[in-house]
């Protein structure tokens, strides 16, 4: 998954770069497909890969997490 995401990102960035540098009749399409590929394919794959084994509750502000933050703050005197 990691390598697939990297290959797709390089391909999309290459398409954008070629669209800006080459003077072809379809250079705007190269840029558009590159941007669409980044935002519709690469970013969701990357997000899934990075978050697949994480617990969402660890990143939410809950009563328990607020208490942990307060204890940590008192402990370190922030």
């Amino acid at each position: 998954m990691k390598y697939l995401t990297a290959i797709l990102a390089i391909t999309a960035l290459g398409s954008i770069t070629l669209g800006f540098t080459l003077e072809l009749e379809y250079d705007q399409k190269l840029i558009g497909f590159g941007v669409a590929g980044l935002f519709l394919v690469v970013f969701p794959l990357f997000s899934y890969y990075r978050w697949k084994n994480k617990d969402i509750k660890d990143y939410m502000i809950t009563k328990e997490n607020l208490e942990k933050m307060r204890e940590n703050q008192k402990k370190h005197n922030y």
Side-chain angles (χ1 to χ4, degrees):
M1 182 74 77
K2 180 167 102 172
Y3 297 115
L4 175 67
T5 306
I7 290 169
L8 290 173
I10 291 169
T11 304
L13 291 173
S15 175
I16 293 169
T17 304
L18 287 175
F20 278 119
T21 57
L22 298 179
E23 301 228 358
L24 302 169
E25 60 185 55
Y26 53 90
D27 56 356
Q28 296 293 318
K29 288 184 181 181
L30 283 174
I31 297 168
F33 285 130
V35 171
L38 277 176
F39 288 106
L40 297 177
V41 178
V42 175
F43 184 70
L45 279 176
F46 175 77
S47 297
Y48 172 75
Y49 171 73
R50 296 295 292 173
W51 285 86
K52 69 179 174 182
N53 293 326
K54 307 279 187 201
D55 187 19
I56 297 290
K57 291 187 179 186
D58 291 340
Y59 300 97
M60 293 174 61
I61 297 179
T62 61
K63 198 170 197 176
E64 295 85 21
N65 286 342
L66 282 174
E67 290 173 8
K68 286 180 190 177
M69 285 189 272
R70 287 183 185 135
E71 289 174 10
N72 193 19
Q73 193 174 28
K74 287 178 185 177
K75 183 176 162 184
H76 293 292
N77 294 326
Y78 288 134

